[in-house]
Amino acid sequence: MIFRDTKATLWTVVAPPSVWALHFLTVYPTAAVICAKSADGIGTARLVVFVATVTALFAILLAGVWGWRHSGGVVTADDPLDDGNRDSRQRFLANATLLLAGLSFVAVLFTGLPGLAFGTCR
Amino acid sequence: MGRGSKRRRGGGATVLASALSLVACEGPQSALDPGGHGAAQLAGLFWVMLAAAGVLWVVVVAIAVVAVRLRPGEHRRRTATFLMLGGGVVVPTVLLAALLWHGLGLMRDLRQPADPAAVAVRVDGELWWWRITYLFPDGSTVESANEVRLPVGERVRLDLASQNVIHSFWLPSIGGKMDLIPGRTNELVLEPTKAGDYRGQCAEYCGPAHALMAFSTEVMPKESFARWLDAEAKPAAEGGGAGLDTFLAYGCGACHSIRGTSANGRIGPDLTHVASRATLGAGTLPNAPDNLRLWIGHTQDLKPDVRMPSFGMIPDADMTALVAYLEGLK
Ligand SMILES: [Cu+2]
């Protein structure tokens, strides 16, 4: 299973925020352009927002689960993450991935919320 | 000096601060003294957020007092983790989500369309005054300046535009704020609920006279509004005499229009009914004969970079006739 084999790298750390950025850069201009072209475009806009949000949330969730597995449980203040050996580095990167996934998850949710709230383009 | 006197002084400051904040709540330009539907919604939002912030503040300070003063020793790990995750992650997320949802709900309400039968108003941001044009459903228009009159109880559409720089239309007692952006027309819908006089202000820095780019607003009962608009649509009062002659002789008509005369300039505000407006120079001076005289003779001293020359060279007798004529343009 990919969760066990792959190593934590800086790339996995930046993955969740990148998904967040990508989601925002998809949703925001698409909704703006669709609504600018036609006030009746709200259905399409909402669909785009919905699909993009669900996809992004799923990707972030994957990254979060992945980070959880590799950090070997909850990291506490007693866990030295700066030992300078391979193991400690891995746990640090995995834990950072997990925390950023949590942040990005909420952020994507908040970005997508207006899609749920608005029934018109006004 | 003991602790007691310190405390008393603190109490005095609190009383003063709350008194000041109460004073600031009222008046013709206060978002907290709403005279419109949008302003009432926004004021409600403000109080909700203030209450939430107050509760949060008390809880956070209480925890800090417990941690630092009352129980400075080591705390149980579980309690600490619970407090940190709960107070640092769960509570803010839930609270922000709730506020966001509440705000989105408000937005849906504030963006409801205007009454299609109501008169609409086009607002052009000029340097540094407001060109106000009433748009009738049949396509005809009436131009005025630096004053927006609105009927009470109707949702009125305002088309906000600019041919120069970005301005912002802000009438805090009635509704939200919206920018005037060159190249596009922004739509703001206002729904005044309380008749009265209000004050609005440009809220986006636009040049030297930005602070003197205000406007007055009168919210009127529907019938009086209709009557006023009828009168506003009519040309100027007849019989200019020496005053009108001075006006035309000094070239005022190159920049100003007075409907019904040969003055048809478009650079400055329409003066057809200037005497019925509350202020001169976009809120720079209250409208009164002495101030009008001052404005015409010392324009450049009253408003920085104003795009009207001072006409201090007009002889007294001519000036008196000119002022009398303009003050007659009700
Ligand atoms: Cu301005």
Side-chain angles (χ1 to χ4, degrees):
Chain A
M1 188 159 162
I2 57 154
F3 288 137
R4 208 138 313 127
D5 303 340
T6 327
K7 283 197 186 67
T9 66
L10 275 180
W11 292 113
T12 64
V13 175
V14 298
S18 307
V19 173
W20 169 13
L22 222 76
H23 171 262
F24 182 77
L25 290 177
T26 312
V27 157
Y28 195 94
T30 326
V33 167
I34 292 176
C35 272
K37 287 200 160 169
S38 147
D40 309 322
I42 189 70
T44 325
R46 288 178 85 168
L47 189 70
V48 171
V49 172
F50 185 77
V51 171
T53 304
V54 170
T55 313
L57 288 180
F58 184 70
I60 291 171
L61 204 68
L62 275 186
V65 171
W66 187 92
W68 172 265
R69 296 265 171 97
H70 281 257
S71 37
V74 179
V75 176
T76 70
D78 297 333
D79 283 317
L81 289 173
D82 51 0
D83 273 354
N85 59 40
R86 188 179 198 81
D87 205 39
S88 134
R89 196 156 55 233
Q90 281 294 309
R91 289 199 70 193
F92 170 75
L93 290 174
N95 196 50
T97 308
L98 172 64
L99 295 179
L100 281 171
L103 177 69
S104 308
F105 192 89
V106 174
V108 166
L109 213 60
F110 280 13
T111 312
L113 212 54
L116 213 68
F118 293 136
T120 76
C121 274
R122 330 193 107 254
Chain B
M1 294 279 267
R3 293 178 75 161
S5 69
K6 241 188 219 159
R7 226 177 250 162
R8 259 201 306 283
R9 227 184 296 143
T14 315
V15 169
L16 186 68
S18 37
L20 277 178
S21 62
L22 278 181
V23 167
C25 284
E26 288 168 9
Q29 189 184 322
S30 169
L32 297 179
D33 184 10
H37 178 67
Q41 298 279 54
L42 295 176
L45 178 65
F46 172 76
W47 292 117
V48 166
M49 293 190 61
L50 188 69
V55 170
L56 270 186
W57 185 82
V58 168
V59 171
V60 170
V61 169
I63 292 174
V65 168
V66 170
V68 177
R69 279 286 164 95
L70 302 182
R71 284 204 45 214
E74 192 163 321
H75 295 262
R76 286 227 324 276
R77 172 135 301 209
R78 285 192 56 133
T79 321
T81 309
F82 174 77
L83 276 179
M84 281 194 295
L85 283 184
V89 178
V90 179
V91 171
T93 308
V94 171
L95 207 67
L96 284 179
L99 279 175
L100 179 62
W101 189 251
H102 180 59
L104 290 173
L106 275 188
M107 220 159 126
R108 203 163 33 179
D109 176 59
L110 291 175
R111 299 291 290 160
Q112 291 298 318
D115 294 340
V119 169
V121 186
R122 181 184 163 98
V123 177
D124 287 279
E126 304 288 345
L127 296 169
W128 289 271
W129 55 281
W130 307 88
R131 191 188 298 277
I132 308 294
T133 316
Y134 297 86
L135 314 168
F136 292 90
D138 70 1
S140 58
T141 62
V142 175
E143 191 173 318
S144 177
N146 300 329
E147 181 186 72
V148 181
R149 298 218 187 194
L150 298 169
V152 77
E154 261 178 71
R155 285 186 74 79
V156 176
R157 192 186 85 232
L158 281 80
D159 295 337
L160 308 175
S162 168
Q163 311 298 328
N164 39 76
V165 298
I166 300 179
H167 303 273
S168 190
F169 182 93
W170 193 36
L171 189 48
S173 312
I174 308 293
K177 180 197 297 175
M178 176 110 43
D179 280 4
L180 291 71
I181 296 175
R184 53 172 297 150
T185 304
N186 283 341
E187 190 184 303
L188 175 69
V189 178
L190 293 180
E191 184 182 340
T193 50
K194 210 164 70 185
D197 293 325
Y198 302 96
R199 184 182 188 275
Q201 168 71 43
C202 178
E204 178 73 46
Y205 181 75
C206 56
H210 161 67
L212 293 176
M213 183 169 168
F215 57 95
S216 51
T217 293
E218 191 172 338
V219 174
M220 319 167 80
K222 269 182 213 169
E223 309 76 51
S224 339
F225 175 75
R227 232 177 297 127
W228 169 81
L229 197 53
D230 268 353
E232 189 73 9
K234 297 213 169 75
E238 303 258 331
L244 177 58
D245 294 344
T246 310
F247 189 87
L248 296 174
Y250 281 91
C252 312
C255 294
H256 293 288
S257 288
I258 299 181
R259 279 176 273 128
T261 76
S262 61
N264 59 0
R266 302 266 310 147
I267 315 256
D270 185 297
L271 299 180
T272 310
H273 298 288
V274 62
S276 65
R277 304 207 277 259
T279 68
L280 295 171
T284 303
L285 297 170
N287 192 355
D290 285 352
N291 284 341
L292 184 53
R293 201 183 184 96
L294 197 66
W295 172 263
I296 298 169
H298 302 272
T299 329
Q300 292 291 325
D301 307 326
L302 292 169
K303 193 164 176 174
D305 272 21
V306 59
R307 306 238 160 144
M308 164 169 159
S310 302
F311 285 85
M313 75 297 249
I314 300 182
D316 264 0
D318 288 352
M319 185 67 107
T320 305
L322 177 60
V323 168
Y325 168 61
L326 291 175
E327 282 298 325
L329 296 178
K330 295 279 187 207

